[in-house]
Amino acid sequence: MINKEMFNMAKNYIQNANYKKALELLIIVSKDDKNDFYVNFELAKVYSELGQINETLKILKNIINTGVITDVYVFDLFFKIYNGNDIDYVNKLIKIIDKQFPNEIQIYLEIAKFFINIDRTRAIFYFEHYVNKNHYENIDVAVLLAKLYLENKDINNAKKVLLRIKNNKNKNYLLELFRVYLLSEQTQEALNIADTLLNTYDDINIVHEVADLYLKEKKYEKFEKILSKYLSYCYEDAKLYFYLSKCYEGIGNIENAMNKLFDILMIKQDIYNPENIVQQILDLNNLQIHIDLLVALEVVIKLEKNQSVKRNYTYFKNSITNKLIDEMQKYILSDNYSYAEELAQKIIKKLPDKKQMIDNILLNEKEILQKKELLESKPRILEITLTNRCNLKCIMCENIKSVPWELAENTKNEIIELMPYLEQVLWLGGEVFLYKHFDELFDIANKHNVKQIISTNALLLNDNIIKKLVDYNVELSISVDGVTKEIYEKIRLGANFDNLIAKINLLNKVKHRVNKYMKKRLCVVIMETNYEQIPDFIDFAHKYEFDYITFTPHEGYYDKDIFFYKRKDLDEKMKEVLNRAKKYNIEVENCMPTQKHMDNLRDKYPENVIMNNIELKKNNKFKFNFFAMATMPEVFPVKRDEREAAAKKIYCYSPWQKLFVGCTGYVKVNCNCAYSLTVGHVSNETLMNIWNSNNMINLRHNLLIKDTYKECSESCKENVLPIEKLRYSY
């Protein structure tokens, strides 16, 4: 028999939270009967309060093993403190509970809590059991169950649980109901709940929770009053200023919208993501004059120098700079050259390392306006084929059919010398990552903050390459010619579709973590093999988070497997493309011919001519002078002694702005130019000599005196290409 008087004294000590005294007495009492259930249970509770969990569990297991359990709280205490992973033992306990204490619902709450971080499905099961037995009176638990349903995207069950709760003023309950209505797209119901929350509770977190809905539903004036009230005492909450800026924008008060953004910059920078502020400044600029952009540029430069805010601001700095340069160009085109110079000096003052580039743009735009043929300005854009080495053998690629080639050392060094003047460089292959000097060029272009576009099949991407891509000012252009494994691998011989998807997913993962503003373009070459998939490329682009998509036809008119010769529904296909792209907010660069242009091609290349050339090609008797220097005239013919009318409009500015170096080193002004417009070759000339060679001067002259030039490609003359391909602007 135990000493009841001493046992009762120990219980009094427990009630008064004097656990050490209670423990001393209980140890003495337990010596009288080591198996006494009540003494051992009190011992377990004391050890638990003293933080001696292992000792507590040891006693509880001994009690359970005796099989003499008169109090369900033995199990209740066990599940509150047990954090082990012996699920078999846990299952054994649950069976005992189901048998001995089926009506003790509180224990099922503790079981549910135990499983919540181990097995969400079982946690939900026991929460359901508890909530149903409790008749939804424990609001907090019912709300937690609804939250778990939402985590599983089970909106209907979450709604059922919440709508059975009788108390409709509980804050957590209302917040969860708001989320359910929001996710189930019951917008008005969500707004009603948001109104109730804001009118009932003075809680800044609620404002943050409902802000996106008020802004999305354009409740600007209503939300502006709410925000103004909170800002009277939450004046360091930068998010409130940001929401208020969006409200003013919606109302149409752009000046106040901009001022609120600048108010944010007066408070601590770590309160809110500065990138959101700068993006909003850029958005507002669509309605404002350029002076705001100069302020925005200054903001970004300060943020970039702020070591406590370690983010990549390259995207923003370049976006603002590009918009300012666009303003500069507009001044020149409207004959306000002095204004352009003034703006240029302001940009250079903030970005002195851009002086050579800005000065070159000013000079180039002036020379274009003056219709000069011999230029002092340097190229603004380079499109450089680095090598024809590739890890694939695509069925439509001509590069791999030529002799092995890569860019020579002297041309590489000349490109490096031009870097301070360049606005953009496009790296082409083959596969660019196989060029031995690619890292050197890539790093130097980044040092000069040149916009880089890299054309790749993406299959060689790895952690090191991806890290650079997201850190630098890069647009990645990924070539994908099939949205299914079968078509993709049929066109891109040697490729693996699953590997492609894995690489894109890896890139997206790093992009989200490091620089979400990095842009990706999907480049698609359309041919007979993938013709039926044309609209599906938009869905692919959306799924894998591409910002842009370019459709280009393969102009291999001599191969029936490549040229979609007999197709007559191209206009309908492209219309569907544009509709889908609008839905997903994906920008389309459409270089596809119209149906009318296709009809013209069929007239130019009748089917018997196509088939005859295919046979010649099969027998190696047909030689397509793709890289032949013989196709390039020493000097473009031009009759300068004859008077010819000036062109009403210069439809192609590439000869004043670009140089394209193709595979084996031939040079054109644009990759779309006909090969008869090859203006030089880097094997025997420098880029700058080609830039003002007789061929280039005559090409510029021919474009200045004629609306079209007979040697230009059909795509350009028929207005197939978008203007961006022919005139560089921001």
Side-chain angles (χ1 to χ4, degrees):
M1 293 287 292
I2 63 169
N3 186 327
K4 290 187 177 181
E5 182 179 353
M6 192 175 291
F7 180 60
N8 288 331
M9 286 177 61
K11 290 173 71 175
N12 284 332
Y13 280 131
I14 292 171
Q15 287 179 354
N16 293 319
N18 192 341
Y19 300 115
K20 289 186 177 179
K21 280 285 187 182
L23 180 61
E24 291 173 3
L25 293 177
L26 288 171
I27 289 173
I28 296 171
V29 172
S30 67
K31 292 178 180 178
D32 296 334
D33 186 350
K34 293 183 178 180
N35 294 320
D36 187 283
F37 169 82
Y38 297 102
V39 173
N40 284 325
F41 188 36
E42 293 300 325
L43 265 173
K45 287 192 282 186
V46 168
Y47 277 123
S48 175
E49 294 292 346
L50 292 172
Q52 298 185 43
I53 303 303
N54 289 337
E55 195 64 34
T56 306
L57 289 171
K58 180 180 176 182
I59 294 171
L60 289 175
K61 286 182 178 181
N62 286 336
I63 294 173
I64 293 167
N65 289 338
T66 63
V68 182
I69 308 167
T70 60
D71 196 332
V72 73
Y73 289 106
V74 170
F75 297 104
D76 188 80
L77 179 58
F78 176 89
F79 280 105
K80 279 180 178 175
I81 65 173
Y82 183 63
N83 61 359
N85 56 5
D86 189 347
I87 302 301
D88 289 338
Y89 186 72
V90 168
N91 289 336
K92 176 184 172 184
L93 298 190
I94 293 173
K95 285 182 180 179
I96 296 172
I97 293 166
D98 289 339
K99 184 176 180 181
Q100 291 188 301
F101 306 102
N103 297 319
E104 297 288 348
I105 64 170
Q106 193 66 29
I107 184 59
Y108 291 101
L109 178 57
E110 296 305 326
I111 294 171
K113 290 177 182 178
F114 167 77
F115 277 114
I116 200 164
N117 292 320
I118 298 173
D119 186 336
R120 285 295 173 97
T121 302
R122 291 192 72 178
I124 289 172
F125 174 82
Y126 289 111
F127 275 125
E128 288 173 336
H129 187 76
Y130 172 81
V131 167
N132 287 326
K133 293 282 186 180
N134 180 257
H135 305 295
Y136 294 82
E137 291 181 6
N138 189 328
I139 295 173
D140 291 336
V141 176
V143 169
L144 177 57
L145 177 58
K147 189 185 291 287
L148 291 173
Y149 280 135
L150 283 183
E151 285 181 5
N152 286 346
K153 296 183 171 53
D154 188 350
I155 299 172
N156 289 333
N157 270 328
K159 189 186 298 184
K160 286 178 184 177
V161 169
L162 294 170
L163 292 179
R164 290 191 64 175
I165 296 173
K166 296 175 183 177
N167 185 343
N168 61 0
K169 293 294 182 182
N170 178 282
K171 181 167 68 173
N172 291 332
Y173 159 73
L174 289 171
L175 276 170
E176 213 58 47
L177 190 58
F178 168 78
R179 291 164 187 153
V180 165
Y181 283 138
L182 200 61
L183 289 171
S184 58
E185 298 182 354
Q186 292 180 262
T187 303
Q188 188 54 54
E189 288 81 354
L191 282 169
N192 292 340
I193 297 295
D195 288 344
T196 301
L197 280 163
L198 290 169
N199 291 329
T200 308
Y201 299 99
D202 189 11
D203 186 341
I204 189 68
N205 293 318
I206 294 174
V207 178
H208 295 317
E209 180 86 28
V210 304
D212 285 343
L213 179 62
Y214 276 99
L215 294 173
K216 181 183 176 183
E217 294 304 310
K218 302 180 180 179
K219 305 294 181 182
Y220 301 124
E221 293 182 0
K222 183 177 186 178
F223 199 40
E224 185 265 333
K225 292 177 182 177
I226 294 167
L227 293 169
S228 297
K229 182 190 81 172
Y230 276 91
L231 275 170
S232 64
Y233 56 90
C234 297
Y235 51 85
E236 283 204 343
D237 191 313
K239 285 186 179 181
L240 296 183
Y241 291 93
F242 185 76
Y243 302 147
L244 195 53
S245 172
K246 298 293 283 186
C247 286
Y248 283 134
E249 179 192 359
I251 293 168
N253 191 336
I254 305 303
E255 185 178 352
N256 271 356
M258 193 70 78
N259 288 338
K260 289 304 167 189
L261 293 175
F262 295 139
D263 284 344
I264 299 173
L265 302 169
M266 303 300 293
I267 60 180
K268 294 179 182 178
Q269 294 295 347
D270 58 353
I271 291 181
Y272 193 51
N273 188 341
E275 295 172 3
N276 287 5
I277 303 166
V278 180
Q279 185 62 59
Q280 176 68 353
I281 290 172
L282 291 177
D283 291 342
L284 288 175
N285 182 68
N286 294 330
L287 306 170
Q288 289 291 87
I289 58 173
H290 70 270
I291 189 66
D292 296 323
L293 285 175
L294 289 167
V295 178
L297 182 59
E298 188 174 347
V299 167
V300 173
I301 292 169
K302 286 181 179 178
L303 291 172
E304 197 171 38
K305 291 178 180 177
N306 185 351
Q307 294 301 311
S308 65
V309 187
K310 293 183 179 179
R311 290 187 174 92
N312 190 324
Y313 291 101
T314 302
Y315 164 78
F316 293 110
K317 191 160 70 174
N318 283 284
S319 294
I320 296 169
T321 305
N322 290 348
K323 285 176 179 286
L324 287 166
I325 292 170
D326 189 37
E327 292 288 341
M328 196 172 76
Q329 289 176 317
K330 288 175 182 175
Y331 282 137
I332 295 170
L333 293 174
S334 61
D335 205 22
N336 286 319
Y337 196 78
S338 60
Y339 286 120
E341 284 185 313
E342 184 182 340
L343 179 56
Q345 292 310 309
K346 289 178 180 178
I347 300 170
I348 291 168
K349 186 176 180 180
K350 296 184 186 301
L351 298 171
D353 58 328
K354 286 286 189 183
K355 177 174 172 53
Q356 288 168 285
M357 186 197 83
I358 299 292
D359 286 345
N360 190 58
I361 293 170
L362 270 177
L363 179 57
N364 181 255
E365 291 291 340
K366 188 175 183 179
E367 289 178 327
I368 290 173
L369 195 65
Q370 294 171 343
K371 297 185 177 181
K372 287 196 172 184
E373 298 171 9
L374 180 67
L375 304 182
E376 292 180 48
S377 58
K378 293 176 171 59
R380 292 163 60 176
I381 304 98
L382 292 182
E383 297 179 347
I384 306 293
T385 305
L386 297 171
T387 179
N388 65 351
R389 292 176 61 204
C390 191
N391 52 328
L392 304 179
K393 292 184 178 180
C394 302
I395 63 173
M396 67 290 188
C397 183
E398 296 288 347
N399 284 2
I400 59 173
K401 298 175 186 177
S402 63
V403 295
W405 177 87
E406 68 176 23
L407 197 71
E409 184 87 12
N410 61 316
T411 309
K412 179 208 75 173
N413 292 335
E414 191 180 4
I415 291 168
I416 290 171
E417 289 176 10
L418 284 170
M419 283 295 183
Y421 302 94
L422 295 178
E423 298 162 68
Q424 178 176 292
V425 61
L426 169 58
W427 304 120
L428 300 160
E431 175 53 55
V432 295
F433 299 120
L434 293 175
Y435 178 56
K436 61 185 177 183
H437 297 300
F438 178 72
D439 278 349
E440 180 186 1
L441 289 170
F442 194 31
D443 292 343
I444 291 171
N446 179 64
K447 176 185 174 183
H448 291 285
N449 212 16
V450 178
K451 179 181 179 181
Q452 300 187 73
I453 302 174
I454 297 175
S455 179
T456 176
N457 57 43
L459 297 174
L460 297 182
L461 294 181
N462 56 40
D463 291 336
N464 291 332
I465 293 173
I466 290 173
K467 185 179 185 304
K468 274 193 175 183
L469 292 175
V470 297
D471 280 342
Y472 290 3
N473 179 28
V474 173
E475 177 186 305
L476 197 64
S477 183
I478 300 178
S479 299
V480 180
D481 306 306
V483 299
T484 60
K485 184 177 180 68
E486 178 189 3
I487 297 298
Y488 174 78
E489 293 179 4
K490 183 176 181 180
I491 293 171
R492 298 197 158 255
L493 300 180
N496 181 291
F497 187 73
D498 298 327
N499 187 26
L500 169 74
I501 300 305
K503 297 292 185 179
I504 294 174
N505 286 334
L506 175 63
L507 173 64
N508 287 340
K509 182 179 178 182
V510 178
K511 176 177 175 285
H512 285 306
R513 189 177 72 248
V514 180
N515 178 13
K516 64 183 179 180
Y517 298 102
M518 175 196 172
K519 300 300 181 184
K520 301 203 313 297
R521 181 181 296 274
L522 182 65
C523 282
V524 186
V525 177
I526 298 300
M527 59 199 85
E528 180 61 32
T529 314
N530 62 3
Y531 184 87
E532 289 299 335
Q533 292 190 342
I534 289 176
D536 300 329
F537 281 104
I538 297 295
D539 299 319
F540 182 92
H542 172 67
K543 182 176 181 180
Y544 295 106
E545 303 176 19
F546 287 88
D547 304 280
Y548 320 108
I549 184 167
T550 296
F551 287 98
T552 306
H554 190 280
E555 297 182 357
Y557 306 127
Y558 304 102
D559 191 328
K560 67 181 177 69
D561 294 325
I562 292 179
F563 178 45
F564 38 96
Y565 184 81
K566 294 185 178 181
R567 300 289 187 161
K568 295 186 178 181
D569 62 341
L570 187 56
D571 285 352
E572 288 78 6
K573 285 268 194 251
M574 294 314 296
K575 184 178 179 181
E576 186 178 352
V577 159
L578 295 174
N579 287 337
R580 291 195 196 185
K582 186 177 180 180
K583 173 184 174 184
Y584 295 132
N585 197 29
I586 294 172
E587 188 175 319
V588 176
E589 184 180 62
N590 180 15
C591 301
M592 298 296 287
T594 60
Q595 201 63 56
K596 181 180 178 181
H597 185 60
M598 288 284 289
D599 293 338
N600 291 339
L601 287 174
R602 276 188 285 270
D603 291 339
K604 186 174 181 179
Y605 299 102
E607 189 168 4
N608 65 317
V609 174
I610 295 283
M611 298 308 296
N612 184 46
N613 282 329
I614 290 169
E615 289 303 315
L616 290 172
K617 192 174 182 182
K618 282 181 182 177
N619 298 322
N620 291 320
K621 292 179 180 178
F622 175 71
K623 299 292 184 182
F624 183 34
N625 292 324
F626 198 81
F627 302 115
M629 286 292 293
T631 61
M632 185 189 81
E634 287 187 17
V635 179
F636 286 153
V638 58
K639 296 180 180 179
R640 290 180 174 270
D641 57 337
E642 292 184 10
R643 290 183 174 273
E644 297 189 61
K648 294 175 184 175
K649 179 182 179 183
I650 304 174
Y651 72 92
C652 178
Y653 288 82
S654 292
W656 284 267
Q657 296 183 321
K658 289 183 179 182
L659 280 179
F660 167 83
V661 179
C663 185
T664 73
Y666 67 89
V667 181
K668 300 188 292 183
V669 296
N670 193 305
C671 65
N672 299 287
C673 291
Y675 290 97
S676 57
L677 290 186
T678 302
V679 291
H681 202 285
V682 294
S683 65
N684 50 30
E685 297 172 272
T686 67
L687 289 173
M688 288 312 298
N689 281 343
I690 295 171
W691 181 241
N692 274 318
S693 65
N694 287 334
N695 276 341
M696 282 291 283
I697 290 170
N698 285 348
L699 177 56
R700 291 171 190 142
H701 176 78
N702 289 335
L703 288 171
L704 288 171
I705 64 174
K706 298 179 182 180
D707 290 327
T708 59
Y709 179 49
K710 65 178 181 179
E711 297 296 332
C712 290
S713 71
E714 294 295 324
S715 294
C716 296
K717 288 193 285 188
E718 295 290 334
N719 296 317
V720 171
L721 295 177
I723 189 64
E724 292 80 9
K725 290 284 186 181
L726 307 174
R727 170 68 154 105
Y728 187 74
S729 60
Y730 289 87

